[in-house]
Amino acid sequence: MKTALTVAGMLVCVVAAAAPLDVTKPADQGAELQRKLLATPNPAPSRFPSFDPHYPPPPGTPDVFQLSQDYPKTFKQETFPWMAIDFKAFPTEYMGAVLSYCLEGNVDVDFKVQDNKVRKWYHAPWLHDDGDQFGAGREYHHGMTRERKARPFELHRSQSAPGQNWAVGFYNDRGGTALGKVWRTASGYPDPYASTFPENSVACKLLFTDASVEQIPYLVGSKTWTANIYPDTAYNKPRVDKPMRLLQLDVAVKDPRVADTTGWIYGTFVYDGGGAGKTVWDRMVPVGLSWGDDRQDRTDANRDGVFVNTSLTQARITSSLVEQTGWDYGNRAYVRHHGLGGRVNGPIDSPVSSCISCHGRAGTYVGTTIGPKSGQPMAMAYFAASKPSDFPLSQFDEFFKPIPGGAHIEVQNNERFVTTDYSLQLTGGIRNFYQNLRSQPVMKTLHARGVSAMAAKELQAEEPLPKVARDAD
């Protein structure tokens, strides 16, 4: 089946984003004080754990996941094939060029990205432990973290049971330099103010599901990994080894051609077991591409289901994947929902958000001392609504206003956050770092040094920080 994309129009920035505050100016005393704290020597270890300590691999387990954390300080100059492609006119070709770049050398080493002979890739640290015994931390086979579960019938008409979804993401060397600046600090504390990614930083994420082929027929022939995950979506029992199948693949590029808006272009693919491609990767079909959220367009914002919204100008949707009533798809892939108002989102993602909306709200609380809100993330979406028809339009501007790229100050609910340049992995890692810090004896050492204005006991008694998770809906 030939992949067809509906062209919704040209990029039009109808609402100018508010200029971000410059966090480097001396007038921003909070940022300046935070930098002083970051310069304080700290004996924190320089190496980051690879997997959830609650579920370590049994002795002798082969091929245990190792975090790729030799973050480079520089990156090589190269020509990127997607820069020669008009992403608005040729979204399929653009996504294909990015996908090929992400796969090159990684397929050969089964995505042990530090072993890539073509170019090394890097993992974001501190996703190994979110502070919960039954948390979403990295499993030890492939370093996957738990994603939003698939609700019954969300992925396929035959899907009568929910499915667990787990994913692993990685950055190219340009992205790796940003990871290093945030995490390889003299103090040992992450520095979110350093999280501006260079142009043509690339992120790639593989998303796997434990749903069976019987539940989702288009998973036939998909790539399979063994993962150490929970027995079911109750997430309240020790983990076990289970087979998982590749369902979705996401890519993101810090494309300089959209530097004046979001700075990023996001694309998402779905695996099509009935496709004509010879390999798994040939059968990854583009779901859509987006570089903005069309802030002024509320057309069909409360419409459930899947459809193409032709009024959107900052997205391209693969119309041939839109589910058609009465069609017998066999083992061909189709999509049962997109994001709010038909915006681009992956098959396992929330229908009340979008790729750009969620990632644009990657940010962490602007604290000047270690306190109860240190590491608190921005709210990613209005997850009180589980479907578009429940989404209150009074919340639309809050979650779909344009967010500029780069590290800068944003205000949400009258609180100030420093953004981490569309990287939820950075935001999640910073949150996990502080959540673990507040519950460990090391807090007594910090208090003795005067870093914290609160007694260690008081801080440890605080409620856990909100998680950076899409499962809230």
Side-chain angles (χ1 to χ4, degrees):
M1 178 170 62
K2 184 178 180 180
T3 299
L5 278 94
T6 296
V7 177
M10 298 296 288
L11 169 62
V12 179
C13 187
V14 289
V15 178
L21 299 180
D22 185 350
V23 298
T24 65
K25 289 183 178 179
D28 189 348
Q29 297 178 2
E32 182 63 23
L33 181 54
Q34 180 77 346
R35 290 189 180 280
K36 290 180 179 179
L37 291 175
L38 290 167
T40 304
N42 180 29
S46 59
R47 303 298 290 181
F48 303 104
S50 294
F51 44 79
D52 195 324
H54 297 101
Y55 303 101
T61 301
D63 297 326
V64 173
F65 171 76
Q66 295 295 321
L67 194 78
S68 179
Q69 54 182 295
D70 186 18
Y71 305 115
K73 294 184 179 180
T74 61
F75 47 81
K76 65 180 181 180
Q77 299 300 318
E78 56 183 313
T79 300
F80 299 99
W82 54 84
M83 290 301 298
I85 301 172
D86 182 341
F87 60 88
K88 287 177 271 187
F90 303 101
T92 301
E93 289 79 359
Y94 182 92
M95 291 178 66
V98 177
L99 178 60
S100 295
Y101 175 88
C102 294
L103 297 178
E104 188 178 18
N106 280 328
V107 173
D108 297 336
V109 296
D110 200 24
F111 294 90
K112 296 176 184 176
V113 296
Q114 60 267 53
D115 295 338
N116 189 319
K117 303 301 183 184
V118 179
R119 63 181 66 88
K120 286 188 176 182
W121 294 71
Y122 304 88
H123 301 111
W126 265 102
L127 299 181
H128 66 285
D129 184 6
D130 60 15
D132 271 357
Q133 178 183 359
F134 300 108
R138 293 189 188 275
E139 54 85 40
Y140 60 74
H141 285 296
H142 298 281
M144 292 194 287
T145 55
R146 194 176 73 212
E147 293 275 333
R148 178 180 179 272
K149 66 183 177 185
R151 280 61 173 166
F153 306 109
E154 194 170 61
L155 299 176
H156 198 277
R157 299 167 191 166
S158 301
Q159 185 207 346
S160 58
Q164 288 186 79
N165 301 311
W166 291 66
V168 61
F170 37 91
Y171 290 84
N172 67 351
D173 59 346
R174 291 175 176 241
T177 62
L179 298 180
K181 289 177 181 178
V182 172
W183 286 103
R184 294 288 194 185
T185 60
S187 67
Y189 298 106
D191 181 4
Y193 297 93
S195 57
T196 296
F197 285 80
E199 291 182 353
N200 283 303
S201 291
V202 177
C204 180
K205 184 165 69 171
L206 309 180
L207 299 99
F208 288 72
T209 183
D210 72 344
S212 66
V213 173
E214 288 71 29
Q215 291 275 304
I216 307 177
Y218 60 75
L219 291 178
V220 61
S222 182
K223 180 175 179 59
T224 302
W225 271 352
T226 296
N228 191 249
I229 62 172
Y230 298 102
D232 52 49
T233 53
Y235 309 142
N236 59 8
K237 296 179 181 178
R239 298 182 184 181
V240 297
D241 279 0
K242 296 186 71 176
M244 303 198 78
R245 296 170 176 83
L246 180 65
L247 167 68
Q248 179 178 326
L249 190 151
D250 296 342
V251 295
V253 179
K254 186 75 176 287
D255 195 309
R257 291 172 290 182
V258 293
D260 60 340
T261 54
T262 65
W264 289 87
I265 298 178
Y266 275 80
T268 184
F269 298 79
V270 65
Y271 175 75
D272 181 8
K278 294 181 179 180
T279 72
V280 168
W281 313 110
D282 295 332
R283 296 192 291 273
M284 299 304 299
V285 179
V287 174
L289 186 76
S290 62
W291 55 95
D293 262 331
D294 291 279
R295 178 184 183 176
Q296 284 194 328
D297 196 307
R298 303 188 183 194
T299 308
D300 289 328
N302 291 130
R303 178 179 173 182
D304 295 331
V306 62
F307 52 91
V308 174
N309 185 346
T310 58
S311 67
L312 300 180
T313 64
Q314 297 178 314
R316 302 291 183 265
I317 292 289
T318 307
S319 57
S320 60
L321 285 176
V322 173
E323 179 185 17
Q324 301 297 315
T325 303
W327 283 26
D328 180 6
Y329 283 90
N331 58 3
R332 297 306 307 269
Y334 60 94
V335 175
R336 308 205 79 191
H337 76 270
H338 290 125
L340 193 79
R343 288 166 175 80
V344 173
N345 238 358
I348 75 163
D349 297 325
S350 172
V352 300
S353 188
S354 75
C355 294
I356 292 291
S357 176
C358 258
H359 284 270
R361 279 142 191 86
T364 187
Y365 182 74
V366 178
T368 57
T369 58
I370 305 299
K373 292 188 177 182
S374 297
Q376 175 181 310
M378 290 180 69
M380 297 161 54
Y382 188 80
F383 285 137
S386 60
K387 58 183 185 295
S389 56
D390 293 336
F391 186 90
L393 291 183
S394 60
Q395 293 293 318
F396 186 89
D397 284 341
E398 177 60 48
F399 291 102
F400 291 92
K401 69 179 181 181
I403 302 291
H408 62 275
I409 302 300
E410 287 285 338
V411 177
Q412 186 182 74
N413 296 326
N414 298 317
E415 292 187 316
R416 299 169 77 240
F417 296 84
V418 56
T419 65
T420 56
D421 201 4
Y422 281 72
S423 176
L424 290 172
Q425 294 193 41
L426 276 179
T427 298
I430 292 171
R431 178 266 174 204
N432 293 347
F433 173 88
Y434 282 104
Q435 178 59 38
N436 277 264
L437 190 66
R438 63 200 276 144
S439 61
Q440 302 297 328
V442 72
M443 278 307 306
K444 297 179 181 179
T445 304
L446 295 177
H447 180 61
R449 286 169 38 209
V451 174
S452 175
M454 303 178 65
K457 289 183 179 179
E458 293 178 6
L459 187 56
Q460 292 177 15
E462 294 290 333
E463 291 294 319
L465 294 169
K467 292 184 178 181
V468 180
R470 298 173 178 84
D471 245 344
D473 64 327

